[in-house]
Amino acid sequence: QVQLVESGGGLVQPGGSLRLSCAASGFTFSTHTMRWVRQAPGKGLEWVSDISGAGGTTTYANSVKGRFTISRDNAKNLLYLQMNSLKPEDTAVYYCANAAGVKGQGTRVTVSS
C-alpha cells in the first residue's frame, strides 16, 4: 500500500525558512520521479518542483526558482523541500506525490508576520 506522509510545515515570518519532509513507503521509491505540489487557500493545485529517481534532475516552478530546493534520500525513502526567503504567497498546504499521482495528506505552511 502506497503511503506518503508529509511533515515540517508551520507558521513562519516572511523571509524565513522551512524544510518539509515526505516519508514514502509501499513502492520502489528510488525508481519514481517525485514532486511537490501545493494548494493555496481558495485556489487549485499548483506544481512546485520535481526530482528524478536518482536525484540528478530537478525542475522548479518559476514562482519558487532560486528560493526552494528539492532533494531526496533514497536510502531512507525520504523526499525534502528546503524553502528559503518565504513569501506570504507561499502560504498553502504542501503535498508530496509520486509518479502515479498518489499524494499524501499534506502539511500546512503559513507565511505571515
Side-chain angles (χ1 to χ4, degrees):
Q1 179 181 350
V2 174
Q3 192 169 20
L4 298 167
V5 180
E6 302 91 339
S7 61
L11 173 64
V12 62
Q13 292 187 340
S17 298
L18 280 176
R19 188 173 85 152
L20 306 184
S21 300
C22 170
S25 61
F27 64 103
T28 308
F29 181 72
S30 62
T31 64
H32 277 243
T33 291
M34 295 294 295
R35 66 180 33 156
W36 288 96
V37 297
R38 66 186 182 184
Q39 187 165 24
K43 297 188 177 181
L45 278 175
E46 176 191 15
W47 170 73
V48 174
S49 181
D50 279 2
I51 185 167
S52 61
T57 302
T58 57
T59 52
Y60 298 92
N62 286 337
S63 57
V64 307
K65 199 173 294 183
R67 299 187 298 121
F68 290 11
T69 302
I70 190 171
S71 63
R72 65 193 297 161
D73 183 339
N74 285 344
K76 297 181 179 178
N77 283 9
L78 289 171
L79 176 72
Y80 302 104
L81 186 67
Q82 177 67 43
M83 306 187 295
N84 299 329
S85 302
L86 282 161
K87 305 175 181 180
E89 51 263 44
D90 295 318
T91 294
V93 177
Y94 284 73
Y95 302 89
C96 65
N98 68 7
V102 176
K103 298 195 320 289
Q105 84 291 344
T107 186
R108 186 176 300 276
V109 173
T110 303
V111 184
S112 175
S113 54

